[in-house]
Amino acid sequence: MTPADDRRDPSGRQRGAARSQGRTQRSAAAPSQRRRGSDPARTAAYDVLRSVDGSDAYANLVLPPLLRDRRITGRDAAFATELAYGTLRLRGRYDAIIAQAANREVGTIDAPALDVLRLGVHQLLGMRVPAHAAVSETVGLAREQLGTGPSQFVNAVLRTVGRASLQEWEQRIRSTAGDDELAQLAVVESHPLWVVRALREALVGNGRPADQIGALLAADNAAPRVTIVARPGLAGTDEVVADAGDGVGTVGALAPTSVILSGGDPAALPSVRDGRAGVQDEGSQLVTLALTHAPLDGPDERWLDLCAGPGGKAALLAAVAGERGARLVANEVQPHRTRLVEQALRAVPADAVEDVRTGDGRSVGTDEPGAYDRVMVDAPCTGLGALRRRPEARWRRTPADLASLSALQRDLLVSALQAVRPGGVVAYVTCSPHLVETQLVVKDAVRAVARLGVEVVPLDAPAVVRAIAPGGAVDLDDTRTDVQLWPHVHGTDAMHLTLLRRTG
């Protein structure tokens, strides 16, 4: 921990060296001579928001290197992370509050000033930062980044926001949504209304009560746990727990390869640095392991990851393949993502990886019919199941995305069902519970391959998952053959899994 980390108090305000050492004394400097800027953590969070808004960047790709480059670590790094991610997750709620407090539509506020306001409101209503510190530090950030005029506007709006509690503001913004309960929920829980409706339909379509939608949206707004995968044959969960330190790492409850971290930098773990372990959601681990455990008929020697980038599932598949004497082919359509796959596979024994290649997964079925025993289709999707981890995704996706994505998903699954041999198994996986991207894609693909003379049957995915999970205690719908995980139920991303065996 750096000296700067030691000076950040529990409220998130960075103390000067004198105050941190008990040498407190009121400044004799006039207000005009006092510090006009903000601290590095808040500046970092602001820069992330500007990158997300101005460059369509992804926060999870921008923030970590920014923190490293600026040498922001420890409490400061944790503060910057929560400030940036929390603000992005709750942007819809905060924009409704800002509109009321400023008495103007947020669309009329300059984007940089709006981002500063969002950061300030999150400190006031979403973090344990005292009101005086949240306002003064955010006004300092505005003065530093935008100038005196905008900083005065920021000061006025934040002081108005600070006069009411979060509960009072939620009641006020709820009333602006009219009598539509879903619209009220959308503004308070900071999701686009179309997403709220789609998620409620997904709950019902997977046998869960519609009234769980509030809990699901709330789970989307909670910071996810950091989860590590200990890749079989390369690292064990006990090693990762020991690397993490006393009380920091615990073995996960769903995937036998998972370790949950309560703090610290996962990149600092030796097993993660050398690729024997990696950061991977527990649900992602579980659906990947399900493919390796699904029963098949005949040989089990050649596996395919059809959409392998950025490589997390491919690395887990290859590690298991290495233990069994099988070989993995990892295919990715984007060259830069192919390089990420190669990096993810760096610790896997060479004889477990047949090839890492760049190509269109839609052509593999016709180019290599019946060539594989197991095939993973981790299809590109809206990412509505990972809104906790990709907070800006909810504001970028639109219903129009579904048509092109579902067509791609169907084509990829059709290709996979052609590429697997009779008796082999395909896992269709998405990080979205949307029915159009899950159940409907599977139905369309099965019908399409039937016209090509390819016959498939669904496997009992819940039974496979229960056989993997320690103790078998997984809350799943036994009336269905597929699996849908949920953040509010399983503490994972909302991963979908369908297992299909080709029979002819």
Side-chain angles (χ1 to χ4, degrees):
M1 183 176 291
T2 67
D5 301 328
D6 291 330
R7 293 200 299 269
R8 185 170 294 282
D9 65 26
S11 70
R13 187 167 188 173
Q14 184 169 306
R15 300 170 290 178
R19 181 173 297 184
S20 67
Q21 296 166 17
R23 298 182 283 108
T24 56
Q25 179 176 335
R26 185 174 296 277
S27 172
S32 62
Q33 297 174 309
R34 294 175 188 166
R35 182 166 64 88
R36 295 288 184 171
S38 186
D39 63 273
R42 287 179 171 88
T43 301
Y46 170 77
D47 288 341
V48 170
L49 264 62
R50 295 309 306 135
S51 293
V52 168
D53 179 68
S55 305
D56 283 340
Y58 289 93
N60 67 319
L61 300 180
V62 172
L63 183 60
L66 187 152
L67 295 177
R68 287 195 298 270
D69 291 346
R70 299 183 187 181
R71 298 182 180 179
I72 300 173
T73 59
R75 290 182 180 177
D76 283 355
F79 184 84
T81 300
E82 166 53 27
L83 182 54
Y85 284 21
T87 299
L88 287 168
R89 289 188 192 101
L90 297 171
R91 193 187 87 178
R93 175 191 297 173
Y94 295 154
D95 282 2
I97 293 171
I98 290 168
Q100 287 204 15
N103 197 28
R104 58 191 285 193
E105 295 296 325
V106 293
T108 67
I109 301 174
D110 288 343
L114 182 57
D115 276 342
V116 172
L117 282 169
R118 290 165 173 163
L119 292 168
V121 175
H122 186 52
Q123 292 171 71
L124 283 168
L125 303 180
M127 299 176 71
R128 293 188 296 273
V129 179
H132 66 86
V135 173
S136 64
E137 293 290 340
T138 306
V139 170
L141 175 65
R143 186 180 295 114
E144 177 183 72
Q145 299 291 332
L146 311 175
T148 301
S151 73
Q152 293 172 341
F153 170 66
V154 167
N155 181 56
V157 174
L158 291 183
R159 289 189 181 278
T160 299
V161 173
R163 294 189 187 108
S165 67
L166 173 60
Q167 291 72 26
E168 291 171 320
W169 277 116
E170 287 182 346
Q171 187 60 38
R172 293 179 191 180
I173 62 175
R174 190 185 297 272
S175 66
T176 65
D179 296 330
D180 186 336
E181 292 185 4
L182 282 188
Q184 294 177 11
L185 200 57
V187 68
V188 170
E189 294 296 348
S190 191
H191 285 65
L193 181 56
W194 78 270
V195 172
V196 176
R197 288 173 173 159
L199 291 177
R200 186 179 67 167
E201 290 174 2
L203 285 167
V204 174
N206 283 278
R208 294 194 175 273
D211 61 10
Q212 288 188 5
I213 183 62
L216 173 55
L217 299 179
D220 276 350
N221 291 331
R225 304 173 302 178
V226 176
T227 310
I228 304 297
V229 56
R231 291 162 181 156
L234 305 177
T237 55
D238 53 348
E239 177 188 350
V240 176
V241 169
D243 284 348
D246 292 341
V248 176
T250 56
V251 177
L254 294 182
T257 51
S258 64
V259 174
I260 313 298
L261 301 186
S262 61
D265 179 6
L269 300 182
S271 54
V272 173
R273 285 201 305 268
D274 60 25
R276 294 179 298 112
V279 178
Q280 187 175 15
D281 177 72
E282 194 171 12
S284 177
Q285 297 179 44
L286 192 60
V287 297
T288 304
L289 292 172
L291 173 61
T292 70
H293 284 70
L296 51 66
D297 297 326
D300 192 9
E301 301 169 352
R302 196 165 185 247
W303 302 356
L304 170 67
D305 189 345
L306 193 65
C307 314
K313 293 183 180 66
L316 181 52
L317 286 173
V320 177
E323 289 191 312
R324 295 193 192 170
R327 307 180 313 280
L328 176 73
V329 174
N331 178 82
E332 170 55 43
V333 70
Q334 297 290 344
H336 73 279
R337 288 170 64 86
T338 302
R339 291 190 289 272
L340 294 176
V341 176
E342 292 172 340
Q343 177 67 10
L345 293 171
R346 64 190 184 277
V348 177
D351 58 1
V353 180
E354 178 180 322
D355 193 17
V356 179
R357 67 194 188 195
T358 302
D360 190 337
R362 291 172 292 186
S363 65
V364 173
T366 53
D367 293 343
E368 299 179 89
Y372 297 95
D373 303 310
R374 298 183 189 269
V375 180
M376 166 68 73
V377 185
D378 181 19
C381 66
T382 58
L384 297 185
L387 297 181
R388 307 174 304 159
R389 300 182 190 280
R390 301 182 183 93
E392 64 286 307
R394 69 185 74 182
W395 312 116
R396 290 184 177 169
R397 290 298 189 187
T398 70
D401 295 327
L402 289 168
S404 58
L405 282 170
S406 61
L408 174 60
Q409 292 156 357
R410 181 191 63 245
D411 291 347
L412 288 167
L413 182 52
V414 167
S415 177
L417 291 170
Q418 292 175 291
V420 76
R421 62 164 179 79
V425 176
V426 171
Y428 176 71
V429 170
T430 66
C431 191
S432 169
H434 200 300
L435 298 180
V436 170
E437 300 186 89
T438 55
Q439 297 175 24
L440 294 182
V441 163
V442 173
K443 290 179 182 178
D444 286 348
V446 169
R447 284 197 294 262
V449 295
R451 293 193 291 269
L452 300 173
V454 174
E455 298 178 358
V456 300
V457 296
L459 297 181
D460 187 349
V464 174
V465 167
R466 284 202 175 90
I468 297 169
V474 188
D475 184 355
L476 300 173
D477 183 358
D478 288 326
T479 66
R480 298 192 55 82
T481 58
D482 56 7
V483 165
Q484 181 61 59
L485 302 175
W486 300 99
H488 68 296
V489 177
H490 307 101
T492 68
D493 292 344
M495 303 296 300
H496 172 87
L497 168 68
T498 295
L499 293 172
L500 299 169
R501 180 192 291 151
R502 180 173 174 179
T503 57

